[in-house]
Short mmCIF file of all heavy atoms in Angstrom, two decimals:
data_model
loop_
_atom_site.label_atom_id
_atom_site.label_comp_id
_atom_site.label_asym_id
_atom_site.label_seq_id
_atom_site.Cartn_x
_atom_site.Cartn_y
_atom_site.Cartn_z
N HIS A 2 94.25 118.46 92.50
CA HIS A 2 93.37 118.11 91.39
C HIS A 2 94.17 117.48 90.26
O HIS A 2 95.33 117.80 90.07
CB HIS A 2 92.67 119.37 90.84
CG HIS A 2 91.73 119.99 91.82
ND1 HIS A 2 92.14 120.82 92.83
CD2 HIS A 2 90.39 119.89 91.94
CE1 HIS A 2 91.09 121.21 93.53
NE2 HIS A 2 90.02 120.66 93.01
N PHE A 3 93.48 116.64 89.50
CA PHE A 3 94.05 116.03 88.31
C PHE A 3 93.34 116.61 87.09
O PHE A 3 92.12 116.74 87.08
CB PHE A 3 93.83 114.51 88.32
CG PHE A 3 94.62 113.79 89.36
CD1 PHE A 3 94.14 113.67 90.65
CD2 PHE A 3 95.85 113.23 89.04
CE1 PHE A 3 94.87 113.00 91.62
CE2 PHE A 3 96.58 112.56 90.01
CZ PHE A 3 96.09 112.44 91.31
N VAL A 4 94.12 116.94 86.05
CA VAL A 4 93.50 117.37 84.80
C VAL A 4 92.95 116.11 84.13
O VAL A 4 93.56 115.04 84.21
CB VAL A 4 94.49 118.15 83.90
CG1 VAL A 4 95.58 117.28 83.35
CG2 VAL A 4 93.77 118.86 82.78
N VAL A 5 91.77 116.24 83.52
CA VAL A 5 91.11 115.08 82.90
C VAL A 5 90.63 115.44 81.50
O VAL A 5 90.47 116.61 81.16
CB VAL A 5 89.91 114.59 83.76
CG1 VAL A 5 90.37 114.00 85.07
CG2 VAL A 5 88.90 115.69 83.99
N THR A 6 90.40 114.41 80.71
CA THR A 6 89.88 114.62 79.36
C THR A 6 88.37 114.78 79.37
O THR A 6 87.81 115.32 78.42
CB THR A 6 90.25 113.45 78.43
OG1 THR A 6 89.74 112.23 78.99
CG2 THR A 6 91.76 113.36 78.25
N SER A 7 87.71 114.32 80.43
CA SER A 7 86.26 114.42 80.55
C SER A 7 85.89 114.34 82.03
O SER A 7 86.52 113.62 82.79
CB SER A 7 85.59 113.27 79.80
OG SER A 7 84.21 113.22 80.08
N LYS A 8 84.87 115.09 82.43
CA LYS A 8 84.38 115.03 83.81
C LYS A 8 83.65 113.71 84.07
O LYS A 8 83.50 113.29 85.20
CB LYS A 8 83.45 116.20 84.11
CG LYS A 8 84.17 117.52 84.18
CD LYS A 8 84.76 117.71 85.55
CE LYS A 8 85.11 119.17 85.74
NZ LYS A 8 85.40 119.46 87.11
N LYS A 9 83.16 113.07 82.99
CA LYS A 9 82.52 111.77 83.14
C LYS A 9 83.62 110.72 83.08
O LYS A 9 84.27 110.55 82.05
CB LYS A 9 81.50 111.54 82.02
CG LYS A 9 80.77 110.25 82.19
CD LYS A 9 79.70 110.07 81.15
CE LYS A 9 79.05 108.71 81.42
NZ LYS A 9 77.97 108.44 80.54
N LEU A 10 83.84 110.04 84.20
CA LEU A 10 84.95 109.11 84.31
C LEU A 10 84.50 107.66 84.16
O LEU A 10 83.46 107.27 84.67
CB LEU A 10 85.65 109.29 85.66
CG LEU A 10 86.17 110.70 85.95
CD1 LEU A 10 86.76 110.77 87.36
CD2 LEU A 10 87.18 111.15 84.91
N SER A 11 85.32 106.90 83.47
CA SER A 11 85.06 105.47 83.27
C SER A 11 85.49 104.70 84.52
O SER A 11 86.16 105.24 85.40
CB SER A 11 85.84 104.99 82.05
OG SER A 11 87.23 105.20 82.24
N PRO A 12 85.14 103.43 84.59
CA PRO A 12 85.62 102.61 85.71
C PRO A 12 87.15 102.53 85.69
O PRO A 12 87.77 102.66 84.63
CB PRO A 12 85.01 101.23 85.44
CG PRO A 12 83.85 101.50 84.54
CD PRO A 12 84.22 102.69 83.72
N PRO A 13 87.78 102.33 86.85
CA PRO A 13 89.25 102.24 86.91
C PRO A 13 89.79 101.09 86.07
O PRO A 13 89.29 99.97 86.16
CB PRO A 13 89.52 101.98 88.39
CG PRO A 13 88.27 102.32 89.11
CD PRO A 13 87.15 102.16 88.14
N GLU A 14 90.81 101.39 85.22
CA GLU A 14 91.39 100.35 84.37
C GLU A 14 92.87 100.55 84.08
O GLU A 14 93.53 99.62 83.63
CB GLU A 14 90.62 100.26 83.06
CG GLU A 14 90.72 101.52 82.21
CD GLU A 14 89.98 101.40 80.90
OE1 GLU A 14 90.50 100.73 79.99
OE2 GLU A 14 88.90 101.99 80.79
N VAL A 15 93.43 101.74 84.34
CA VAL A 15 94.83 101.99 84.02
C VAL A 15 95.68 101.76 85.27
O VAL A 15 95.45 102.37 86.32
CB VAL A 15 95.04 103.42 83.49
CG1 VAL A 15 96.52 103.67 83.18
CG2 VAL A 15 94.18 103.67 82.26
N TYR A 16 96.67 100.89 85.13
CA TYR A 16 97.56 100.54 86.24
C TYR A 16 98.48 101.70 86.59
O TYR A 16 99.15 102.25 85.72
CB TYR A 16 98.39 99.31 85.85
CG TYR A 16 99.37 98.88 86.88
CD1 TYR A 16 98.97 98.10 87.96
CD2 TYR A 16 100.72 99.24 86.79
CE1 TYR A 16 99.87 97.69 88.92
CE2 TYR A 16 101.63 98.83 87.74
CZ TYR A 16 101.20 98.06 88.81
OH TYR A 16 102.10 97.66 89.76
N VAL A 17 98.51 102.05 87.89
CA VAL A 17 99.34 103.16 88.37
C VAL A 17 100.09 102.69 89.62
O VAL A 17 99.50 102.09 90.52
CB VAL A 17 98.46 104.37 88.74
CG1 VAL A 17 99.27 105.48 89.37
CG2 VAL A 17 97.71 104.88 87.53
N GLU A 18 101.40 102.97 89.66
CA GLU A 18 102.17 102.72 90.89
C GLU A 18 102.27 104.03 91.64
O GLU A 18 102.62 105.05 91.07
CB GLU A 18 103.57 102.19 90.55
CG GLU A 18 103.55 100.75 90.16
CD GLU A 18 104.93 100.12 90.20
OE1 GLU A 18 105.75 100.50 91.06
OE2 GLU A 18 105.17 99.26 89.35
N LEU A 19 101.97 104.00 92.92
CA LEU A 19 101.97 105.20 93.75
C LEU A 19 103.28 105.30 94.51
O LEU A 19 103.40 104.83 95.63
CB LEU A 19 100.78 105.16 94.72
CG LEU A 19 99.42 104.96 94.05
CD1 LEU A 19 98.34 104.71 95.08
CD2 LEU A 19 99.09 106.16 93.19
N GLY A 20 104.27 105.90 93.87
CA GLY A 20 105.58 106.08 94.50
C GLY A 20 106.23 104.78 94.91
O GLY A 20 107.00 104.74 95.85
N GLY A 21 105.91 103.70 94.23
CA GLY A 21 106.48 102.40 94.56
C GLY A 21 105.88 101.78 95.81
O GLY A 21 106.29 100.71 96.23
N GLN A 22 104.92 102.45 96.43
CA GLN A 22 104.34 101.97 97.68
C GLN A 22 103.04 101.18 97.49
O GLN A 22 102.66 100.43 98.36
CB GLN A 22 104.06 103.15 98.62
CG GLN A 22 105.29 103.96 98.94
CD GLN A 22 106.36 103.11 99.62
OE1 GLN A 22 106.08 102.41 100.58
NE2 GLN A 22 107.57 103.15 99.10
N GLY A 23 102.35 101.41 96.41
CA GLY A 23 101.09 100.73 96.19
C GLY A 23 100.74 100.75 94.72
O GLY A 23 101.34 101.49 93.94
N GLN A 24 99.79 99.92 94.37
CA GLN A 24 99.34 99.86 92.99
C GLN A 24 97.82 100.03 92.99
O GLN A 24 97.13 99.48 93.84
CB GLN A 24 99.71 98.53 92.35
CG GLN A 24 101.20 98.28 92.24
CD GLN A 24 101.78 97.58 93.45
OE1 GLN A 24 101.15 96.73 94.04
NE2 GLN A 24 102.99 97.93 93.81
N GLU A 25 97.35 100.79 92.00
CA GLU A 25 95.92 101.02 91.84
C GLU A 25 95.56 101.04 90.36
O GLU A 25 96.44 101.20 89.51
CB GLU A 25 95.50 102.37 92.45
CG GLU A 25 95.61 102.45 93.93
CD GLU A 25 95.13 103.77 94.50
OE1 GLU A 25 94.94 104.76 93.74
OE2 GLU A 25 94.93 103.81 95.71
N LEU A 26 94.28 100.93 90.09
CA LEU A 26 93.74 101.16 88.76
C LEU A 26 92.99 102.48 88.83
O LEU A 26 92.27 102.74 89.80
CB LEU A 26 92.79 100.04 88.36
CG LEU A 26 93.39 98.64 88.27
CD1 LEU A 26 92.31 97.62 87.90
CD2 LEU A 26 94.53 98.58 87.27
N TRP A 27 93.20 103.34 87.80
CA TRP A 27 92.55 104.65 87.74
C TRP A 27 91.76 104.77 86.45
O TRP A 27 92.06 104.10 85.46
CB TRP A 27 93.60 105.75 87.77
CG TRP A 27 94.23 106.00 89.10
CD1 TRP A 27 94.07 105.28 90.25
CD2 TRP A 27 95.15 107.03 89.43
NE1 TRP A 27 94.82 105.81 91.26
CE2 TRP A 27 95.50 106.89 90.77
CE3 TRP A 27 95.71 108.06 88.70
CZ2 TRP A 27 96.38 107.75 91.43
CZ3 TRP A 27 96.60 108.93 89.34
CH2 TRP A 27 96.92 108.77 90.70
N PRO A 28 90.77 105.68 86.43
CA PRO A 28 90.01 105.91 85.19
C PRO A 28 90.90 106.43 84.06
O PRO A 28 91.84 107.20 84.28
CB PRO A 28 88.99 106.98 85.58
CG PRO A 28 88.87 106.86 87.06
CD PRO A 28 90.24 106.46 87.54
N ARG A 29 90.60 106.01 82.86
CA ARG A 29 91.34 106.38 81.66
C ARG A 29 91.39 107.89 81.43
O ARG A 29 92.35 108.41 80.87
CB ARG A 29 90.63 105.71 80.49
CG ARG A 29 91.44 105.51 79.27
CD ARG A 29 90.58 104.80 78.25
NE ARG A 29 91.01 103.61 77.64
CZ ARG A 29 92.24 103.21 77.35
NH1 ARG A 29 93.23 103.91 77.71
NH2 ARG A 29 92.48 102.11 76.71
N GLU A 30 90.36 108.62 81.85
CA GLU A 30 90.27 110.06 81.60
C GLU A 30 91.30 110.87 82.37
O GLU A 30 91.49 112.05 82.10
CB GLU A 30 88.85 110.56 81.92
CG GLU A 30 87.79 110.02 80.99
CD GLU A 30 87.37 108.58 81.30
OE1 GLU A 30 87.69 108.06 82.40
OE2 GLU A 30 86.72 107.98 80.44
#
C-alpha cells in the first residue's frame, strides 16, 4: 500500500522512475 493525502485520486501527472526500468505518471496524492 501507498500512503496518500486523499482517497480521492487525481489523474496521473507526477513523473516516477520505477527502479530505472520504466517511467510512469502517478496521481499527486
Side-chain angles (χ1 to χ4, degrees):
H2 294 81
F3 291 85
V4 68
V5 292
T6 57
S7 170
K8 290 276 197 168
K9 183 176 179 177
L10 303 176
S11 60
E14 64 178 284
V15 179
Y16 178 82
V17 174
E18 283 196 34
L19 306 171
Q22 302 300 310
Q24 296 90 36
E25 293 183 346
L26 299 178
W27 285 6
R29 202 179 234 329
E30 293 78 14

